[in-house]
Amino acid sequence: MKKINFKKTFFNQGLFAAIFAVFLLLFSCSESKDWKTVSPTTQGTEQESEQQDDAQSEQQEESPGGQTEQKSESEPQSLKIMNWNLQTFFDAVYDGNEYDEYKNADSGWTEEKYNARLERLASVIKTIDADVITFEELEKEEQLQDIANRLAGNFSSSASYKKAFFAANYGSSLGCAVISRYPIGETSVHAIDYGSPKSTRPIIKFSVYKEGRTLTIFVNHWNSKRNDSAFSKTCREKQEKLLAKLMSEASAENQPLLATGDFNMDISEFELIEASINNSIENDENIMLNGESDFAVYSPWIQENGEYQTPGSYWYNNDWERIDHFFAAGNIKIEDFCAEGSGEWVYSNNHPYYYSLKNNQGYSDHFPITCKVTF
């Protein structure tokens, strides 16, 4: 099995809270690691620029389709995007920050179980075959290397996932991540200090480049409703305001924008708008993100007849919830959106085949969601 080699960088781009983030450039060939550390306070902005320059220069390399990228900069490009909450995907190394059920040998969590679960998750990724994948609920950046190595023998070198990024709040159990077949640049991490460090979940902002076109993506994992409280609701409200702010600022650059992730809010809980706010997006905006400056986006969950698409992405309290989202803005078109409700990751009752630590069976309690974006 061929393996993927990493180059990673540490930096801090939090708006208020300290954030731990890792940028990984995955190069196939050898198993040696090229480590580079950047001061979070003095060189964060410089690192963003450096990543952008590196990614733009890579657009001259061979594309995942095996063709040299020489198309006109004005020609629209398409990518298949996938988002998946992996449901508490810890590795087999004990670090002390794991959930209680994973903390010791008595829990039954072993390296053998980790590898078996890793193999199943990689199988889903292989089947869906997306160009850019965003994840929630995995523990650390090394797991991205494990995923890439599991997939390395399944795709040609040009179609393998060579770029990745991981971010988590310092000291938190789980984070968010990205893997991509295309160059990643202009990466930053943003979060809010709610007064409890472990409650802070960052929003990753990054750009992906394809043949002269740039798509800006925002990865989200908003606070859970489990044991719902006024505090957790306030956290989600602040995360919504932060996303609205970030997307509004990015829209001034006239870039196509896409927010992904597990928002822990059903589509029905967002503010619905009846008609397009403006004509800057191929799909009419139908959701308003509330913030200091509200920001209109398009959600593919809402069909032309106003009904919500079925199935949802999460089965809760005997009903479908649509808490995993793509929100689009700017010069971008979403097509072929769905919650992936057919495959080995679907249980016999057509619900997500959730992972059980007790018997080491299952995948995740969320369906992956996918779409094709043209920008």
Side-chain angles (χ1 to χ4, degrees):
M1 177 184 294
K2 66 181 178 180
K3 292 199 172 183
I4 302 298
N5 179 38
F6 287 73
K7 175 183 177 182
K8 67 183 184 179
T9 303
F10 296 86
F11 65 103
N12 184 331
Q13 291 292 336
L15 296 181
F16 305 100
I19 293 296
F20 170 67
V22 181
F23 183 80
L24 308 155
L25 296 181
L26 316 182
F27 297 98
S28 59
C29 290
S30 71
E31 296 186 35
S32 64
K33 295 187 177 182
D34 178 14
W35 303 88
K36 182 177 180 182
T37 303
V38 176
S39 166
T41 55
T42 62
Q43 299 185 41
T45 303
E46 176 184 333
Q47 180 57 29
E48 284 190 48
S49 175
E50 177 183 310
Q51 290 169 3
Q52 180 183 14
D53 292 343
D54 289 346
Q56 288 175 330
S57 67
E58 288 167 5
Q59 294 182 78
Q60 302 305 316
E61 299 176 358
E62 189 177 82
S63 69
Q67 303 293 323
T68 301
E69 300 186 358
Q70 296 178 337
K71 293 187 177 182
S72 167
E73 188 172 324
S74 61
E75 184 174 346
Q77 299 298 317
S78 295
L79 293 169
K80 184 174 182 179
I81 310 293
M82 168 178 161
N83 180 81
W84 198 13
N85 181 315
L86 298 178
Q87 188 199 340
T88 58
F89 185 37
F90 290 98
D91 70 0
V93 179
Y94 175 68
D95 298 302
N97 64 335
E98 293 85 357
Y99 291 176
D100 288 344
E101 58 266 36
Y102 290 86
K103 276 191 173 180
N104 53 56
D106 294 337
S107 70
W109 183 240
T110 63
E111 185 172 0
E112 181 181 7
K113 285 188 174 183
Y114 170 72
N115 286 324
R117 189 176 184 202
L118 174 65
E119 200 69 44
R120 289 197 298 274
L121 297 178
S123 176
V124 178
I125 295 167
K126 174 188 173 184
T127 300
I128 294 178
D129 193 21
D131 297 309
V132 179
I133 305 173
T134 57
F135 297 113
E136 297 80 51
E137 294 199 17
L138 73 168
E139 184 183 11
K140 60 184 69 163
E141 74 275 8
E142 285 82 1
Q143 291 172 284
L144 298 178
Q145 183 169 8
D146 290 341
I147 291 170
N149 287 336
R150 285 297 192 283
L151 294 169
N154 296 305
F155 300 107
S156 65
S157 177
S158 59
S160 61
Y161 297 99
K162 297 182 180 179
K163 317 298 176 190
F165 185 91
F166 173 86
N169 181 43
Y170 182 78
S172 67
S173 299
L174 298 165
C176 299
V178 179
I179 60 173
S180 174
R181 289 171 169 162
Y182 289 88
I184 291 175
E186 293 188 73
T187 308
S188 56
V189 181
H190 307 264
I192 299 172
D193 185 356
Y194 303 129
S196 173
K198 289 190 176 182
S199 70
T200 304
R201 287 177 173 171
I203 296 176
I204 300 172
K205 176 187 175 185
F206 72 98
S207 295
V208 60
Y209 302 111
K210 183 181 179 184
E211 300 186 17
R213 289 279 181 162
T214 302
L215 172 65
T216 301
I217 299 178
F218 305 82
V219 188
N220 297 258
H221 188 198
W222 293 6
N223 280 63
S224 172
K225 292 181 180 177
R226 186 171 298 171
N227 301 319
D228 204 8
S229 64
F231 174 74
S232 65
K233 181 179 179 181
T234 297
C235 289
R236 290 190 298 276
E237 289 173 349
K238 289 186 176 182
Q239 286 166 312
E240 182 176 358
K241 288 180 180 179
L242 176 58
L243 179 61
K245 177 179 183 292
L246 292 172
M247 294 188 78
S248 179
E249 291 172 349
S251 70
E253 303 171 6
N254 200 31
Q255 293 288 342
L257 309 175
L258 184 70
T260 76
D262 173 5
F263 291 72
N264 277 304
M265 283 177 58
D266 187 79
I267 188 62
S268 63
E269 298 178 81
F270 288 89
E271 180 183 345
L272 177 68
I273 51 181
E274 299 297 334
S276 177
I277 299 300
N278 57 59
N279 297 317
S280 64
I281 188 170
E282 293 288 339
N283 313 283
D284 288 341
E285 294 94 334
N286 51 20
I287 292 293
M288 186 70 75
L289 296 177
N290 296 136
E292 294 180 4
S293 297
D294 293 346
F295 189 75
V297 295
Y298 167 76
S299 167
W301 278 119
I302 305 173
Q303 301 177 98
E304 289 184 4
N305 62 5
E307 299 293 324
Y308 299 136
Q309 185 165 313
T310 300
S313 60
Y314 186 74
W315 183 257
Y316 177 72
N317 201 21
N318 294 318
D319 201 3
W320 282 114
E321 290 208 345
R322 298 157 183 84
I323 60 176
D324 303 278
H325 298 286
F326 294 127
F327 291 133
N331 186 21
I332 183 174
K333 183 177 182 180
I334 291 184
E335 300 174 288
D336 303 330
F337 166 75
C338 71
E340 295 284 350
S342 177
E344 61 191 84
W345 55 93
V346 182
Y347 201 59
S348 57
N349 58 5
N350 295 319
H351 299 161
Y353 191 175
Y354 69 90
Y355 177 70
S356 170
L357 176 60
K358 182 177 180 180
N359 60 19
N360 196 37
Q361 297 296 312
Y363 296 78
S364 172
D365 54 358
H366 292 247
F367 281 153
I369 59 170
T370 61
C371 69
K372 172 186 172 184
V373 296
T374 302
F375 57 99

